């Protein structure tokens, strides 16, 4: 198993360190691991994601689920944070998503516009901000420029920056696809190179080798692939995404491999709230049993 870096090794400002320590040791399992509940899909995918469990269309339901499930935090957009989070402020940490887009246009030149600020996050009592970075998109010049401004504000205000590092664009699709080992590994490294404190990545698929760069054409196990992704992120902490809803056994195996690789934790949304309340909590408990075996040293 790979060891993840301690907070003291990350070169964080006092503000960032204070907020991350609060997230990791005052909430969730309080053992230095993280389990976040993302709820930005209403913007990113539209209401179709709520059909499986109509209750999930209510943001208040999601916040209550996050509190009952002892998550380390929720990730939501500015509108929902302003309308719903104040009811629960102080009970669960907030990651304020600062950008987002619909999935109506093609992803060939994906760009996620900024619609909130780090100052908004401070005003709302957030403990971190989130930014979606589309690695490989032809719009990367604009993306990197708006990200640089967000990063500077986060550094100035002592706010941890979580980057959703998502490979996108026609060039990515021609090189194994957005969740190939090549693409995910590259995305994790880009987030680290550009100064993310935490990076959210999808689990890599090493079997997707069509068009990828060498040495990604070799045969790797899923564990070898996620090990390499965490190494590429180095002193940027890694969260592994749940992605689309899948079978419980597959999700538990993904969680075990991510934590064995030295990941910080998990960020599962649809796999949690696209099921009934009680079933959600049972699934969360199974995942937390895995996290409990990987405390910070």
């Amino acid at each position: 198993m790979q060891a993840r870096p301690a907070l003291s090794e990350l070169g964080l400002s006092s503000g960032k360190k204070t907020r991350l320590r609060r997230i990791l040791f005052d909430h969730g399992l309080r053992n230095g691991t993280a389990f976040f509940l993302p709820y930005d899909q209403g913007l990113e995918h539209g209401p179709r994601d709520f059909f499986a469990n109509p209750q999930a269309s209510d943001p208040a339901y999601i916040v209550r689920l996050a509190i009952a499930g002892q998550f380390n935090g929720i990730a939501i957009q500015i509108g929902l944070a302003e309308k719903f989070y104040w009811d629960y402020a102080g009970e669960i940490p907030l990651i304020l998503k600062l950008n987002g887009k619909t999935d109506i246009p093609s992803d060939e030149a994906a760009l996620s516009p900024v619609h909130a600020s780090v100052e908004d996050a401070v005003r709302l009592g957030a403990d971190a901000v989130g930014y979606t970075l589309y690695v490989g998109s032809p719009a990367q010049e604009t993306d990197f420029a708006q990200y640089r401004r967000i990063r500077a504000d986060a550094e100035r205000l002592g706010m941890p920056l979580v980057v959703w590092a998502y490979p996108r664009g026609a060039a990515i699709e021609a090189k194994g696809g957005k969740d190939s080992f090549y693409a995910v590994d590259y995305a994790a490294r880009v987030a680290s190179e550009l100064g993310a404190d935490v990076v959210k990545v999808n689990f890599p698929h090493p079997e997707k080798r069509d068009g990828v760069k060498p040495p990604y054409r070799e045969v790797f196990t899923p564990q070898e692939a996620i090990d390499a992704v965490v190494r590429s992120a180095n002193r940027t902490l890694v969260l592994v995404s749940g992605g689309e809803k899948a079978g419980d056994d597959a999700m538990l195996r993904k969680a075990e491999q991510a934590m064995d690789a030295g990941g910080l934790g998990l960020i599962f949304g649809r796999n949690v709230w696209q099921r009934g309340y009680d079933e959600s909590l049972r699934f969360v408990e199974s995942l937390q049993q895995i996290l409990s075996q990987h405390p910070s040293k």
Side-chain angles (χ1 to χ4, degrees), residues 23 25 48 55 59 79 89 119 125 135 143 146 159 162 177 179 215 221 224 227 288 293:
I23 289 171
F25 293 98
R48 73 174 188 268
Q55 284 183 296
E119 286 84 355
V135 177
D143 203 356
Q146 64 180 21
M159 184 67 67
V162 184
D179 58 356
T221 67
E224 289 171 333
D227 285 351
Q288 286 174 333
Q293 298 169 20

Side-chain angles (χ1 to χ4, degrees), residues 17-100:
K17 185 176 180 181
T18 296
R19 288 183 170 94
L20 275 177
R21 180 169 290 280
R22 185 158 57 222
I23 289 171
L24 299 178
F25 293 98
D26 291 348
H27 295 274
L29 295 179
R30 303 169 190 261
N31 69 346
T33 61
F35 191 8
F36 294 107
L37 188 65
Y39 188 63
D40 56 344
Q41 293 86 352
L43 172 62
E44 298 287 344
H45 307 150
R48 73 174 188 268
D49 278 354
F50 308 134
F51 278 46
N53 176 20
Q55 284 183 296
S57 66
D58 178 7
Y61 169 86
I62 296 296
V63 181
R64 291 194 297 270
L65 178 64
I67 293 171
Q70 296 184 307
F71 281 80
N72 291 81
I74 55 169
I76 54 179
Q77 300 282 353
I78 181 72
L80 300 189
E82 290 182 335
K83 290 177 172 64
F84 292 92
Y85 181 69
W86 61 270
D87 277 332
Y88 307 95
E91 296 183 56
I92 186 163
L94 168 66
I95 301 176
L96 183 66
K97 275 304 299 293
L98 302 185
N99 65 338

Side-chain angles (χ1 to χ4, degrees), residues 176-198:
K178 62 187 180 182
D179 58 356
S180 69
F181 176 22
Y182 162 73
V184 174
D185 200 25
Y186 206 151
R189 186 66 185 203
V190 167
S192 178
E193 296 274 352
L194 296 183
D197 300 307
V198 182

